[in-house]
Amino acid sequence: MNKPYEASPVESKWQQRWADAQLYHTDLKKAKKPFYSLVMFPYPSGDKLHVGHWYNYAPADSYARFKRLQGYDVFSPMGYDAFGLPAENYAIKTGIHPMQSIGENTQTMTKQLSRIGCMYDWNRTVNTSTPEYYRWTQWVFLQMLKHGLAYKKDGNVNWCPKDQTVLANEQAQDGVCDRCGTAVVQKPMTQWYWKITEYADRLLNGLEDLEWPEKTKLMQRNWIGKSEGAEVVFPVEASADAVTVFTTRVDTIYSAAFVVLAPEHPLVEKITTKEQHKHVEHYRSEARKKTDLQRTDLAGEKTGVFTGAYVINPVNEERLPIWIGDFVLAHYGHGAVFGDAHDERDFVFAKKYDIPLKTTIKPADGKNEDAIQNLEICFSDDGILYDSDKFSGLTSAEARKKITAWLESLESGRRVVQYRLRDWSISRQRYWGAPIPVVYDPEGNPHPVPDEHLPWLLPTDVEFKPTGTAPLAQSKELVERTEKIFGKGWKPEVDTMDTFVCSSFYYLRYLAGDDLQHVIDPTTEKHWMPVSMYIGGAEHACMHLIYARFVMMALHDFGFVKHDEPFKKLVHQGTITNQGAKMSKSKGNVVSPDAFVEHHGSDVFRMYLMFMGPFTQGGDWSDTGIKGIDRFVQRIYKLCTTSVDAKAATSSAVTTKLHATIKKCTEDIERLHFNTVISALMELLNTLEGEGSVHPDVAKTLVVLLAPIAPHLSDELWEALGGKGFVLEQRWPAFDPALLVAESVVIAVQVNGKLRGQVTVPAEASQEDVYAAALEEENVAKFIDGNEPKKVIYVRGRLLNIVV
RNA sequence: GCCAUGGUGGCGGAAUGGUAUACGCGCGCGACUCAAAAUCGCGUUCUCGCAAGGGAUUGAGGGUUCGAGUCCCUCCCAUGGCACCA
């Protein structure tokens, strides 16, 4: 009687043996074939790991194990992105210091992570909230400052009234706070910014060579939002002032009918006439009250008011009224546009306010020409110019070039490139983050904290309750420290850094270990970067994944790293939902893996998640079917412990299946299709079970194929089969293409493309042989019905189609 | 509105232009058992037929091809992203 496989004791036994043998410790210096396998590090929350964590980490680990079996020196680290709001909010609620709760959370989380059985090298880990780590966050800031990429600016910032902090544009998409969903308001404030815009072109061009999902690249391209066009200067009538506008359609300039400024535009106050002053002021104060969300609500009608002033169109001296409208964005281009009949939005705006329009572009195909000229419909595509002086008759594309050149010669315009990307605001008025290492002299000028004072410690004598000013402002210790080092009257910066700064270079600090001399030792960086495989959520497409690229490029330019892209290959795992909704604590639909892991073991649970479907697809959670994986594990255990016999013969059918399985597993793990890897192994098991007994070599190969997806079980079986060492120290099997073809094959026989029978022939049979065999088939003969075939198509080893 | 991805049994899903529905779940029948669970065997897209076999079928409709889930066109639906960017 055979014993069933008992996962729990076996799994803890192997986890202990792996740890004792330091099996997952990678010697970075000695590695000959480095493979840097990285998953986005988690926030150490107090909640237990949920199904989503397992769905993310287990397949990533299986891929890393596969690479190790293929002979790579795999480095697979894990750590914690520990600064941030949740710990601080928890502290506000309970009074427990974030340092304490984070410390406890990382401990329990590490324990839970080890239950998955991942090959993490815990000799090198990071916790972004420790002084040893954030001294480097501060160092990066100082480097940015030194190289002119960090600056302080007054301006409107995205402000979350609930979290009482500033948000980066990337964190305030759709006008709501990405943490709590509260509507973001604009608030004037002095903030530190990093000049990510200086890297816009490189961030855009660098995408081309990255093995990233096209979708993600597209999202970054849209976020950077490069657009080429022209700047045109419109002098204000009877004034020395001028309005500069940006346009991508300078070919339409002869049809310009009006100009619209953003309500915040600095010229508004100066140019507004007495008669219009009241209306304009009223409109501006209303605009200020609106949130960004309201202002960008597409359903909302475009509104505006006339300022009473006019500009002169430099190309034809026409007088155009100046309006203000809140659909014009102050921060894009010059916060001003010209309006004309060839833009849908302008067209509607002009009709609403009875501004006279004229057309100067006609469609090349002449379609709807009358309706367009009569201003019944708006033509906004490229076409042919008319009524445009010497440019009449040109196509839009030609006209754009020539008009721009002409404007340049008149000094009334020039070719420019605009980006939608804005500089990264990194200041946060929160406690639980890396302090910005800056101090102010008595005159209020900022000075960097010199490197020798790093880490510039986060003070502990503060209240966590948000008041709208930074919590660090209350720290007596920080003020005393500043005065002691820099002198009387010097004051510390009291803002902390956005946590995305911490995570923008952590992949270097894993490699650096406890190196306190360099952010990363150049030899190690050269050898190990960029990350070979980076796995994480798609929600970071325009945040972490763009910041990390920017910081890597900057560090490259400062001379600290050789590479300028951090992540060569990127994959996003799919999302696991519950009843169609994303799992979240607030919805109360989070599924805990604990009960399943306890009952079936980690291997079964890992495989079950992988068996659900392709890794990048995700899916809706359901536990029906976990039994199927459990049966698979029991059967494979039974086969390897009771049916292995050194005297067993290996049939050619088994050999063919084995090599086909090796091929399938190799290819499908590479493309992260673990679901089909598992079904291929099930098919192989079905074949082997039909054999009675199995040769140890075959069983061992099966176990190695199983190793990436079921690490504990495969080591247990490897040992049971008398294998030496750990299964992970074996080599991934190679398949022999010659053995993929069975001795005899089943050929499908079609008549006129419809399946009418099957014949079994030797693999090397010729078309004639197969055709002859097919005619013997009663059903095939019936459908040919004595007709002479017009055509016979033979696909070797697969199919014969007889056309009559 | 624009862009992207997808739509296959009762369910999760599989399929280099070449036997659609692999693998698994579930379900049905049988074996073992006093019985049940577990396990094992057989069956399981729909439909007509006792059977042999026929017909239909990959969101809908067209097209290319000896042959289309796969390629092309039109449309419908779902999900994700972007969305006053001049």
Side-chain angles (χ1 to χ4, degrees), chain A residues 7-8 11 51 54 115 590-606 608-609 621-627 630:
Chain A
S8 246
E11 290 184 351
V51 171
W54 281 70
R115 188 68 188 88
V590 177
V591 177
S592 166
D594 294 5
F596 301 101
V597 175
E598 203 175 309
H599 191 215
H600 301 281
S602 156
D603 287 340
V604 168
F605 194 67
R606 289 173 64 143
Y608 178 60
L609 291 173
W621 169 256
S622 151
D623 59 8
T624 62
I626 195 163
K627 230 175 168 177
D630 206 43

Side-chain angles (χ1 to χ4, degrees), chain A residues 276-549:
Chain A
Q276 293 300 103
H277 190 263
K278 230 174 79 188
H279 303 296
V280 168
E281 266 320 299
H282 177 73
Y283 186 85
R284 292 179 88 191
S285 72
E286 287 298 307
R288 259 194 299 275
K289 278 188 227 154
K290 286 190 192 174
T291 63
D292 245 20
L293 191 63
Q294 286 167 317
R295 274 184 66 164
T296 57
D297 181 7
L298 266 179
E301 249 187 82
K302 316 288 169 265
T303 60
V305 287
F306 180 41
T307 61
Y310 292 84
V311 290
I312 304 299
N313 188 342
V315 299
N316 57 9
E317 311 292 319
E318 279 178 22
R319 232 173 140 236
L320 311 177
I322 308 174
W323 287 64
I324 64 168
D326 67 3
F327 63 94
V328 176
L329 305 170
H331 55 75
Y332 185 77
H334 296 270
V337 299
F338 74 76
D340 60 71
H342 296 295
D343 178 279
E344 298 275 359
R345 191 190 46 203
D346 297 345
F347 188 86
V348 173
F349 187 81
K351 290 240 154 169
K352 180 174 175 184
Y353 292 108
D354 286 327
I355 304 169
L357 291 175
K358 65 171 176 178
T359 58
T360 58
I361 314 273
K362 59 185 176 189
D365 59 9
K367 226 171 153 186
N368 297 327
E369 215 177 311
D370 290 343
I372 293 162
Q373 286 208 23
N374 296 334
L375 298 167
E376 286 156 25
I377 55 172
C378 172
F379 178 65
S380 59
D381 293 337
D382 279 8
I384 312 289
L385 276 71
Y386 63 96
D387 288 354
S388 304
D389 291 348
K390 54 189 166 186
F391 304 106
S392 296
L394 296 181
T395 64
S396 291
E398 290 167 338
R400 281 194 282 270
K401 275 188 216 149
K402 294 201 169 154
I403 294 176
T404 307
W406 183 55
L407 285 169
E408 267 176 33
S409 73
L410 296 177
E411 294 187 3
S412 282
R414 62 192 181 102
R415 202 185 90 83
V416 287
V417 176
Q418 282 288 337
Y419 298 93
R420 303 168 70 168
L421 186 70
R422 289 194 265 163
D423 276 342
W424 176 13
S425 109
I426 59 132
S427 302
R428 296 293 179 270
Q429 291 66 49
R430 298 298 305 223
Y431 171 69
W432 191 234
I436 294 176
V438 164
V439 288
Y440 298 90
D441 63 29
E443 282 78 50
N445 303 307
H447 298 268
V449 172
D451 278 3
E452 66 260 32
H453 295 297
L454 299 189
W456 185 243
L457 290 173
L458 181 65
T460 51
D461 57 336
V462 296
E463 262 290 319
F464 308 120
K465 283 225 160 39
T467 56
T469 56
L472 264 57
Q474 315 150 12
S475 166
K476 264 175 73 185
E477 183 273 320
L478 185 61
V479 173
E480 282 165 12
R481 189 202 312 167
T482 306
E483 291 207 322
K484 194 174 155 209
I485 296 173
F486 299 95
K488 194 123 189 71
W490 285 63
K491 289 196 175 69
E493 167 66 64
V494 291
D495 286 351
T496 53
M497 280 185 259
D498 181 4
T499 53
F500 279 112
V501 175
C502 310
S503 56
S504 63
F505 66 100
Y506 76 110
Y507 43 88
L508 296 176
R509 290 307 296 172
Y510 278 134
L511 295 172
D514 48 16
D515 186 346
L516 293 182
Q517 305 307 308
H518 319 85
V519 65
I520 174 71
D521 155 63
T523 319
T524 312
E525 188 273 334
K526 191 178 161 199
H527 199 42
W528 279 89
M529 288 296 288
V531 169
S532 318
M533 171 62 108
Y534 194 34
I535 292 178
E539 67 275 14
H540 289 108
C542 294
M543 296 199 274
H544 164 61
L545 288 168
I546 215 161
Y547 297 140
R549 293 183 61 218

